Amino acid sequence: MDSMYERFYRDISSALRRVPRAGRVLNLLDKGLVCIIAGGYAFELCRMLLGGDGRWIRFALVPAAGLAICTAIRAALNAPRPYELFDVEPLIEKKTSGRSLPSRHVFSAAVIACALAWIDPAWGAVACAATVAVAAARVLGGVHFIRDVVAAGALALVVSAVGFCLI
């Protein structure tokens, strides 16, 4: 008997599974958007350094500290991934065991989107839209539960609020 998650995942991924190259496209989208977001971040950091913008320190440290926090939480929780718990074949190529909660891909994209928004709201909006697409890809791809991407986004917002607004 299928679990509720197996039915849910089969329902959300069935349209993609009917398209021969959908898995490959989803993998490219997943990795490509993260690279684009990281590239935008690196570009902005270089622009700040070369332009003498003193905000570069916080711009660099908040995401770095947040990534360390996210990584520590993942290791402590060591939550299994959907394909480990259920009979589902992920569309995104992944062989990792555990460390599903929170999603580090989504956390990284979200904290960078917040950092970019702190510097330039337009950059931040673009990165935020890309982050939502990455989160959707991770769930559609079967490598994260919805809770994993939501927790990652929430953690990124908390880290960013503390790092960019309260400190």
Side-chain angles (χ1 to χ4, degrees):
M1 173 134 188
D2 287 347
S3 71
M4 186 167 49
Y5 177 79
E6 288 168 310
R7 286 190 303 274
F8 164 75
Y9 183 67
R10 191 173 34 254
D11 289 347
I12 66 168
S13 68
S14 63
L16 291 171
R17 290 184 186 283
R18 288 192 292 268
V19 178
R21 290 187 173 34
R24 199 174 311 169
V25 169
L26 195 59
N27 273 280
L28 285 172
L29 180 70
D30 175 55
K31 288 171 182 48
L33 286 175
V34 171
C35 287
I36 290 168
I37 293 167
Y41 176 75
F43 173 82
E44 189 61 33
L45 182 58
C46 287
R47 189 193 66 71
M48 293 171 80
L49 285 166
L50 293 173
D53 187 334
R55 296 176 298 173
W56 75 267
I57 295 169
R58 191 181 305 190
F59 187 78
L61 289 180
V62 170
L67 185 59
I69 292 167
C70 180
T71 300
I73 291 170
R74 280 168 48 106
L77 295 176
N78 198 27
R81 293 175 180 272
Y83 55 81
E84 293 178 89
L85 290 178
F86 302 105
D87 186 26
V88 297
E89 181 66 31
L91 287 166
I92 290 179
E93 298 162 7
K94 192 80 171 164
K95 293 182 177 40
T96 304
S97 295
R99 299 186 315 267
S100 184
L101 174 66
S103 166
R104 199 165 43 192
H105 275 78
V106 174
F107 174 83
S108 298
V111 77
I112 288 171
C114 290
L116 290 169
W118 181 62
I119 298 299
D120 180 344
W123 267 102
V126 170
C128 183
T131 298
V132 170
V134 169
R138 303 300 286 172
V139 172
L140 286 170
V143 296
H144 281 291
F145 292 106
I146 291 173
R147 63 145 202 240
D148 302 339
V149 300
V150 170
L155 180 60
L157 289 174
V158 169
V159 165
S160 297
V162 170
F164 295 120
C165 300
L166 298 179
I167 294 178

